[in-house]
Amino acid sequence: MKTIAVLGSTGSIGRQTLDVVDQHAGRLRVAALAAGRNVARLTEQALRYRPDLVAVADREAAEALRRELPPSIRVVHGEEGLIAAATHPEVDVVVSAVVGAAGLLPTLAAIEAGKTIALANKETLVMAGELVMRAAKARGVAILPVDSEHSAIFQCLQGENRKRLRRLILTASGGALRDRSREELADVTVADVLAHPNWQMGAKVTVDSATMMNKGLEVIEAHWLFGVDYAHIDVLLHRESVIHSMVEWIDGSVIAQLGTPDMRIPIQYALTYPDRWALKTPPLNLADLGALHFAPASFERYPLLALAYECGRRGGTAPAVLNAANEVAVEAFLQGRIPFLAIERIVADVCARHDPIAGPSLSDILEADRWAREAARTAVAAIP
Ligand SMILES: NC(=O)C1=CN([C@@H]2O[C@H](COP(=O)(O)OP(=O)(O)OC[C@H]3O[C@@H](n4cnc5c(N)ncnc54)[C@H](OP(=O)(O)O)[C@@H]3O)[C@@H](O)[C@H]2O)C=CC1
Ligand SMILES: CC(=O)[C@@H](O)[C@H](O)COP(=O)(O)O
Ligand SMILES: [Mn+2]
């Protein structure tokens, strides 16, 4: 029996993790659930999975939850509550699936507590890749990727000599706006941007997919997770999201991982690695698909992808600033306060004003995050 904590249980990855649990009664136990403010969904989950502990973002949500749950389920809140869920003594694997920078501290705490990490929260490695990988190594903790591309690469690397690697090829769907020219992006609506062609995900990552910031964050995530230089990480447009990513070797051989676009597959692999368990998902039928399509990913069409490479190469606090400015701009777009194209202008402007600190401490990173959020909020407010 493996015991898990699910951070971000009410979200897209969190719910799909619980779907996986449903398929393996008796093999996976949920000891802790953590979410933000969706009390109704968290109550339902807590009553079904009977964890020892549930965590929510604030006191008000915690009080509402306590009214609904039996006293045997401990309810905690705030950053401390999230950390209590991440470090619950009985937990073996922590599924880190909170969205955004809020995922960093609980993931670090889980590493320090010796938990295996099933990592969906890519922002953790974007903000603090050097520090997080060092902590994991020191504690002997495995960080197993949930992000579909990284799970694919991780699978392609099994049994291979990493010194013989030529490059990683991350596939990208191109997002909801992929068939529009840059001129046509000026007046797109939130609904247009959220209509991802292949994946049903939370709003933030879906917007990032349309700007390709998601792929930029994933390039940085891959750099830290697999220890590969940016010069050896490429992005390839692939409309169908069937090839989840590939690894090219020095002899010209390319190994790819394929599957239907269903996040339960990489989620479960992170929970069962190095084993594989059966999973009921729609099978991949290549004959029905007929063809797979590829195209180069253009930095002119997707300037945030270029900016992410630049920030990754600059290193230090630069990726944390990129991430924080992007979170603020995306939220403002989702609230209807700024047009779609303002996201990239704001992020580029904030990054250009930042002088990165090399080899940053956790407090340097948190300060860079705070500064970038403030700078991005000022930029949002200045948009008429
Ligand atoms: N969805 C996907 O298919 C994929 C997602 N990812 C990554 O996984 C992560 C989660 O994405 P996704 O599931 O789509 O996001 P969602 O927006 O669907 O879910 C986010 C979750 O985080 C919780 N949350 C938000 N803020 C806080 C906070 N301050 N404290 C505690 N919990 C909080 C939310 O709680 P509540 O709703 O209760 O407020 C919710 O449970 C992201 O980093 C994303 O990039 C990676 C690959 C694929
Ligand atoms: C499912 C998943 O891993 C997402 O992060 C996905 O990568 C989004 O798709 P694109 O960024 O390729 O549109
Ligand atoms: Mn991904």
Side-chain angles (χ1 to χ4, degrees):
M1 173 81 84
K2 244 180 208 172
T3 303
I4 67 169
V6 187
L7 313 184
S9 65
T10 54
S12 158
I13 293 291
R15 282 178 281 131
Q16 293 180 86
T17 302
L18 295 175
D19 280 353
V20 169
V21 171
D22 289 342
Q23 294 203 27
H24 301 289
R27 295 179 95 181
L28 292 171
R29 179 175 100 82
V30 180
L33 293 171
R37 291 186 178 78
N38 190 343
V39 171
R41 185 167 278 156
L42 190 55
T43 301
E44 224 172 83
Q45 293 177 342
L47 290 174
R48 180 180 171 107
Y49 296 96
R50 298 281 166 163
D52 306 331
L53 182 139
V54 291
V56 269
D58 55 42
R59 186 181 299 275
E60 203 186 342
E63 276 163 14
L65 206 53
R66 272 191 204 103
R67 285 194 288 274
E68 303 296 329
L69 298 183
S72 56
I73 301 180
R74 198 175 139 218
V75 179
V76 291
H77 71 272
E79 201 172 273
E80 266 175 40
L82 199 50
I83 289 174
T87 58
H88 183 293
E90 282 176 28
V91 163
D92 306 305
V93 185
V94 172
V95 179
S96 171
V98 164
V99 63
L104 172 61
L105 294 182
T107 307
L108 254 181
I111 292 170
E112 277 152 16
K115 312 296 186 192
T116 298
I117 309 294
L119 186 72
N121 179 267
K122 59 196 84 182
E123 294 89 346
T124 288
L125 287 178
V126 171
M127 293 175 72
E130 192 176 355
L131 208 138
V132 167
M133 295 310 289
R134 202 190 310 129
K137 194 172 172 197
R139 198 65 178 79
V141 154
I143 301 187
L144 302 171
V146 166
D147 210 343
S148 60
E149 297 74 5
H150 305 72
S151 174
I153 291 167
F154 183 66
Q155 293 179 57
C156 295
L157 292 173
Q158 296 303 311
E160 297 287 340
N161 180 351
R162 291 186 188 199
K163 290 195 183 122
R164 307 289 176 259
L165 186 149
R166 185 181 284 160
R167 62 181 177 133
L168 305 180
I169 305 166
L170 271 72
T171 51
S173 73
L177 309 175
R178 63 192 183 185
D179 294 324
R180 302 189 196 210
S181 66
R182 276 194 66 80
E183 293 67 45
E184 290 170 317
L185 300 181
D187 54 5
V188 291
T189 65
V190 171
D192 292 333
V193 175
L194 291 184
H196 195 286
N198 304 332
W199 301 98
Q200 294 238 322
M201 311 183 286
K204 193 265 178 182
V205 60
T206 308
V207 176
D208 285 350
S209 166
T211 60
M212 275 278 223
M213 176 59 98
N214 183 48
K215 216 48 57 180
L217 300 178
E218 291 182 349
V219 166
I220 301 171
E221 181 185 12
H223 166 76
W224 289 114
L225 205 47
F226 304 115
V228 174
D229 199 75
Y230 290 102
H232 300 283
I233 307 177
D234 289 341
V235 172
L236 176 70
L237 282 174
H238 164 46
R239 292 183 74 81
E240 293 83 7
S241 303
V242 160
I243 296 184
H244 297 303
S245 277
M246 305 179 237
V247 178
E248 184 179 297
W249 301 94
I250 53 171
D251 60 358
S253 180
V254 176
I255 301 183
Q257 187 263 342
L258 285 72
T260 44
D262 184 331
M263 281 307 293
R264 290 174 301 176
I265 299 172
I267 292 169
Q268 177 169 296
Y269 190 62
L271 294 176
T272 64
Y273 174 82
D275 200 358
R276 285 186 191 270
W277 294 355
L279 182 69
K280 286 184 211 113
T281 52
L284 174 63
N285 189 327
L286 289 171
D288 276 0
L289 246 122
L292 298 176
H293 298 86
F294 305 96
S298 152
F299 283 164
E300 286 72 39
R301 171 64 179 76
Y302 294 107
L304 285 182
L305 178 61
L307 183 63
Y309 269 102
E310 190 188 316
C311 289
R313 287 191 167 106
R314 289 176 86 195
T317 45
V321 164
L322 173 86
N323 177 67
N326 181 60
E327 283 190 27
V328 170
V330 168
E331 195 184 349
F333 169 70
L334 286 168
Q335 291 167 346
R337 294 167 61 208
I338 60 169
F340 179 72
L341 283 174
I343 298 174
E344 61 191 40
R345 286 201 301 273
I346 290 168
V347 177
D349 173 57
V350 173
C351 288
R353 288 163 48 206
H354 178 64
D355 197 8
I357 297 173
S361 65
L362 183 57
S363 64
D364 291 332
I365 290 164
L366 298 178
E367 172 53 24
D369 175 273
R370 191 206 56 74
W371 173 84
R373 280 170 203 274
E374 201 177 297
R377 281 191 202 107
T378 306
V380 166
I383 290 179

